[in-house]
Amino acid sequence: MFWILINCFGISVCIWVYYKWTRVKRYWAEKGVPHLTPHPILGSLSFLQRENPGVWMRKIYENHKHPYLGAWWFWRPALIVNSPDIARNVLVKDFPVFRDRFLSSGKTDPIGGLNLFTTNDPLWSWIRRRLAPIFTASKLRALQNLFDTKSKELIQRINNEKDKTKINLKIVFTDFTTDIIGIASFGIASDSTLTGEGPMRTVTHGFMNFDLYRGLCWSSIFFWPELVDIFRFSFFPKSTTDYFLRIFRSIAQERANKGDDEPKDLMDALLKLRNKTIDDDEDIEVSEDVIVAQAAAFVLGGFDTSGSSLTMAIYELAFHPQIQDKLYKEIKQEVDDGTGILNVTKLAEATYLNCVIKETLRKFSPMGWLDRVAMNDYRVDENLIISAGTPVYINAIGMQYDPELFPEPERFIPERFLPENKMDIKSFTYLPFGDGPRNCIGQRFGLMTLRHAISRIILNYKLEPVPGSPLPNEIEIEKRGLFLFPGEPLHVKFLPRE
Ligand code: HEM
């Protein structure tokens, strides 16, 4: 009798799973939406750990040129958007429906879950409103000295290397970006640009390590957030959270009696938010965790995105001597005034430098897909209504490689971003920093970092490819990470100019 019951139960479960699966599989077809073929367990995510999501997004754009495409994150239907018009609606026009990201870091890891990148309303709006003013051009100008000091140290580091063709670009550049963003966010001195070491660098090295466990944490945070609390997955390892809290407390104590003058760095601005309550909700207090979470998100959001972009810019330049010459001339004539200071405003106005950076970010957007979730049922167009809770992904990298939008997309052509060609770029087809109210808050900071480092390097060195190294379009992209970063060490020849 017992076995009969067990068998009946087993058969019922199998029938239920089969029935559920057939419904899941029919979901997009029933809505008349072109879709991918789902794997019975992983849905459309069978590429994870085998292919970078950015590379995958590009492929599906090339293979399915529809304005949108149905996919599944495990068994949950998700919509991939390939159309600039729908991207505009999602990111800007209908922002109230798409305020939140689908990804979530759960409740067990407050530093991971309360930061601007992962948190949702009401906390997100409150924090974003207060942090946006510290990223304005005028506030960031106060960091001129930090950018000058660190970019000079970067040159010193390259000079100190005996065999410059063995410099691992990504490692050295993330040493540099860790210093810049670490010092600006937490306000503590560090010298990983010169030494490649330091407590903050140990933390950022940890982020660059894609072992199986971290892979599971990230995949779950991005694609199945309900599992995060069940398995206590975390955005940051515990040791990192403890380190962030420790340095925050020591800096907070150091600055406790400083008075109410203008914030000097991001940490000053963050400290001002402490112990305030969120406008309409007197119960939500801006705790120490909330503050530390923002500083931690700046480090995580800033060091690898900027370090990888710098790597790819320098690598592309090594393969393009004419672009390098043009860039050198511009920086020499318009920015370098012989004082050793690369003025932030002049760098921001250097047209060709900015074209080089834009083109690098077009080809190698660290986050080639933008994540949102529909808060209500939402009409995408006259044919499709998606249900509340559906994750929506803007396929930015797909559009940025569309030959109809960016002719010869595989080629590195900074000129496409010259002011006279601006009209050729359709809006919402170029989105390396996202768009709308939830775009990258650190965009100016990231661009300042890139401008300083690229200019300093080009003023000091001619770059050439190391014989036998892969062409920029052939480099391996990190398969186990979620962002689009180089997956192999890249080197160039640094030939001193004088
Ligand atoms: C080249 C450098 C960078 C690139 C390409 C980049 C790209 C992005 C992208 C694509 C997003 C998502 C935008 C969206 O969903 O619409 C984002 C969000 C974010 N980025 Fe950046 N980023 C860079 C540098 C930085 C830096 C330096 C910081 C910190 C100072 C930073 C902090 C953040 C934060 C906190 C968010 C979440 C914003 C929110 O949800 O309100 N990023 N970034």
Side-chain angles (χ1 to χ4, degrees), residues 91 101 115-119 124 128 135 181 185 266 294 297-303 305-307 309 361 364-372 431-443 445-447 449-450:
L91 298 175
R101 293 206 169 88
N115 70 63
L116 206 55
F117 190 71
T118 52
T119 196
W124 174 78
R128 178 89 194 200
F135 285 96
I181 189 70
S185 304
L266 306 183
Q294 310 321 314
F298 295 159
V299 174
L300 178 61
F303 93 96
T305 46
S306 313
S309 307
L361 292 173
F364 302 99
S365 283
M367 272 179 77
W369 38 286
L370 309 170
D371 162 345
R372 299 289 187 272
L431 298 163
F433 291 101
D435 210 325
R438 203 145 191 186
N439 71 349
C440 174
I441 196 168
Q443 173 168 352
F445 192 101
L447 289 173
T449 309
L450 295 179

Side-chain angles (χ1 to χ4, degrees), residues 103-387:
L103 66 88
S104 163
S105 185
K107 293 188 177 64
T108 51
D109 160 27
I111 306 298
L114 291 174
N115 70 63
L116 206 55
F117 190 71
T118 52
T119 196
N120 288 329
D121 268 342
L123 189 60
W124 174 78
S125 308
W126 192 91
I127 298 175
R128 178 89 194 200
R129 246 194 341 267
R130 277 152 187 86
L131 292 189
I134 62 174
F135 285 96
T136 56
S138 59
K139 289 275 164 41
L140 291 181
R141 252 180 251 131
L143 298 175
Q144 169 83 55
N145 193 26
L146 171 65
F147 281 99
D148 272 318
T149 310
K150 289 296 159 188
S151 59
K152 282 181 190 162
E153 285 181 9
L154 178 61
I155 301 304
Q156 204 179 325
R157 167 85 175 273
I158 297 171
N159 275 339
N160 290 347
E161 296 286 342
K162 279 201 187 75
D163 186 350
K164 299 193 191 349
T165 60
K166 296 261 162 52
I167 296 174
N168 182 330
L169 299 182
K170 173 94 190 283
I171 296 291
V172 171
F173 293 155
T174 43
D175 289 341
F176 163 73
T177 54
T178 297
D179 259 3
I180 297 246
I181 189 70
I183 293 170
S185 304
F186 279 97
I188 44 154
S190 87
D191 63 357
S192 47
T193 309
L194 284 173
T195 63
E197 290 168 4
M200 188 62 89
R201 188 58 179 129
T202 308
V203 166
T204 58
H205 259 305
F207 290 140
M208 293 165 76
N209 182 10
F210 304 103
D211 59 20
L212 188 64
Y213 178 71
R214 289 311 295 160
L216 274 175
C217 290
W218 282 106
S219 303
S220 166
I221 288 168
F222 276 79
F223 302 115
W224 197 343
E226 291 85 352
L227 292 187
V228 174
D229 281 337
I230 297 173
F231 292 105
R232 302 183 72 81
F233 289 140
S234 64
F235 205 75
F236 299 109
K238 170 100 176 57
S239 55
T240 302
T241 307
D242 291 346
Y243 170 70
F244 282 152
L245 280 165
R246 235 182 8 257
I247 51 173
F248 169 77
R249 283 176 192 148
S250 85
I251 294 291
Q253 204 168 9
E254 214 174 88
R255 298 187 185 188
N257 303 321
K258 233 188 67 181
D260 209 29
D261 45 354
E262 272 288 289
K264 299 247 172 342
D265 56 19
L266 306 183
M267 180 50 79
D268 261 358
L270 287 171
L271 282 169
K272 284 189 185 304
L273 303 184
R274 213 158 36 146
N275 300 330
K276 296 205 165 125
T277 47
I278 294 183
D279 298 346
D280 304 327
D281 195 337
E282 293 298 314
D283 292 337
I284 308 181
E285 191 177 290
V286 181
S287 61
E288 180 180 80
D289 280 348
V290 172
I291 305 279
V292 179
Q294 310 321 314
F298 295 159
V299 174
L300 178 61
F303 93 96
D304 219 354
T305 46
S306 313
S308 286
S309 307
L310 189 49
T311 303
M312 293 319 306
I314 294 302
Y315 199 69
E316 283 279 7
L317 286 170
F319 285 81
H320 293 92
Q322 284 161 356
I323 296 176
Q324 245 185 92
D325 286 348
K326 208 167 154 182
L327 183 59
Y328 175 73
K329 275 189 198 120
E330 180 186 73
I331 300 167
K332 197 78 195 144
Q333 283 164 12
E334 292 173 29
V335 184
D336 182 25
D337 57 8
T339 59
I341 294 168
L342 297 181
N343 181 277
V344 173
T345 312
K346 283 189 188 162
L347 284 174
E349 288 164 0
T351 311
Y352 199 63
L353 170 65
N354 288 298
C355 292
V356 166
I357 294 173
K358 282 185 180 154
E359 180 65 343
T360 305
L361 292 173
R362 179 191 67 80
K363 287 190 74 182
F364 302 99
S365 283
M367 272 179 77
W369 38 286
L370 309 170
D371 162 345
R372 299 289 187 272
V373 59
M375 288 167 93
N376 327 114
D377 291 356
Y378 175 76
R379 178 174 284 285
V380 176
D381 63 12
E382 60 281 11
N383 300 316
L384 175 64
I385 295 177
I386 53 171
S387 314

Side-chain angles (χ1 to χ4, degrees), residues 423-475:
M423 298 303 282
D424 296 341
I425 297 177
K426 195 171 170 195
S427 43
F428 292 88
T429 59
Y430 177 72
L431 298 163
F433 291 101
D435 210 325
R438 203 145 191 186
N439 71 349
C440 174
I441 196 168
Q443 173 168 352
R444 279 203 182 91
F445 192 101
L447 289 173
M448 263 172 76
T449 309
L450 295 179
R451 287 180 195 129
H452 268 272
I454 295 172
S455 306
R456 206 57 92 181
I457 290 173
I458 288 297
L459 280 173
N460 284 277
Y461 303 103
K462 253 191 172 161
L463 308 170
E464 282 181 12
V466 173
S469 45
L471 293 171
N473 292 333
E474 287 166 4
I475 64 160

Side-chain angles (χ1 to χ4, degrees), residues 8-77:
C8 286
F9 178 71
I11 291 167
S12 310
V13 169
C14 290
I15 292 172
W16 180 83
V17 169
Y18 180 74
Y19 169 74
K20 181 94 177 127
W21 163 239
T22 48
R23 286 199 55 198
V24 165
K25 217 165 72 165
R26 285 202 309 264
Y27 184 87
W28 287 119
E30 280 171 358
K31 287 184 176 286
V33 173
H35 52 273
L36 304 167
T37 309
H39 177 279
I41 298 167
L42 300 171
S44 309
L45 294 174
S46 45
F47 68 88
L48 280 182
Q49 299 283 309
R50 292 193 287 130
E51 193 165 34
N52 182 279
V55 175
W56 180 77
M57 281 281 180
R58 245 184 89 182
K59 275 194 193 151
I60 60 167
Y61 186 98
E62 279 159 19
N63 295 336
H64 308 268
K65 270 196 133 186
H66 305 286
Y68 45 76
L69 201 64
W72 287 264
W73 290 174
F74 300 96
W75 282 18
R76 185 196 309 261

